[in-house]
Amino acid sequence: MAGFGSGLFWGAVFGGIAGLMNAPASGRETRQNLKDFVDQTTEDVNDVRFKVDNLRMAIERLTKEGLSSAQTASEDIQLSLKHFQEETQPRMRRIKDRAERLQQSIEVNIENFNEIS
């Protein structure tokens, strides 16, 4: 394994030297191009980092607003259900009373029918 690491190191060194010797531009131009590349890459990375931070903050803000909206909606729904129950309670009581009277009427009619038969 040490032979592989040593070969990798020396291959990189000699490859770098060969690349510099066969470079189409002078050393000064190559260094300037490399510096420009590093500067542009650094600027791009910083821009991406800034945008990711903005995205993270926007997601946090939306999450908080969403939770607040969901809580408000839940409270509104609970209030509406309470009002619905209050409004329908008298109707339900009347329906129950009518059903009981109908049941009693049916029982009386059955008794009368049985007496006639």
Side-chain angles (χ1 to χ4, degrees), residues 48-111:
V48 168
R49 183 180 299 136
F50 175 75
K51 289 179 180 179
V52 167
D53 286 343
N54 282 341
L55 178 63
R56 182 185 48 79
M57 289 188 311
I59 290 171
E60 288 175 3
R61 187 172 49 250
L62 284 173
T63 301
K64 288 177 185 176
E65 290 174 3
L67 289 175
S68 175
S69 296
Q71 186 175 21
T72 301
S74 175
E75 291 170 358
D76 290 345
I77 290 170
Q78 288 176 353
L79 184 61
S80 295
L81 285 173
K82 181 180 176 187
H83 287 294
F84 175 77
Q85 288 173 340
E86 290 172 353
E87 290 174 355
T88 59
Q89 190 174 21
R91 292 182 187 120
M92 294 300 291
R93 201 172 304 125
R94 284 193 301 265
I95 291 170
K96 183 179 175 185
D97 291 342
R98 287 179 186 161
E100 288 174 358
R101 284 195 306 257
L102 181 62
Q103 180 70 28
Q104 290 171 356
S105 175
I106 290 172
E107 289 172 0
V108 168
N109 287 334
I110 289 175
E111 286 176 13

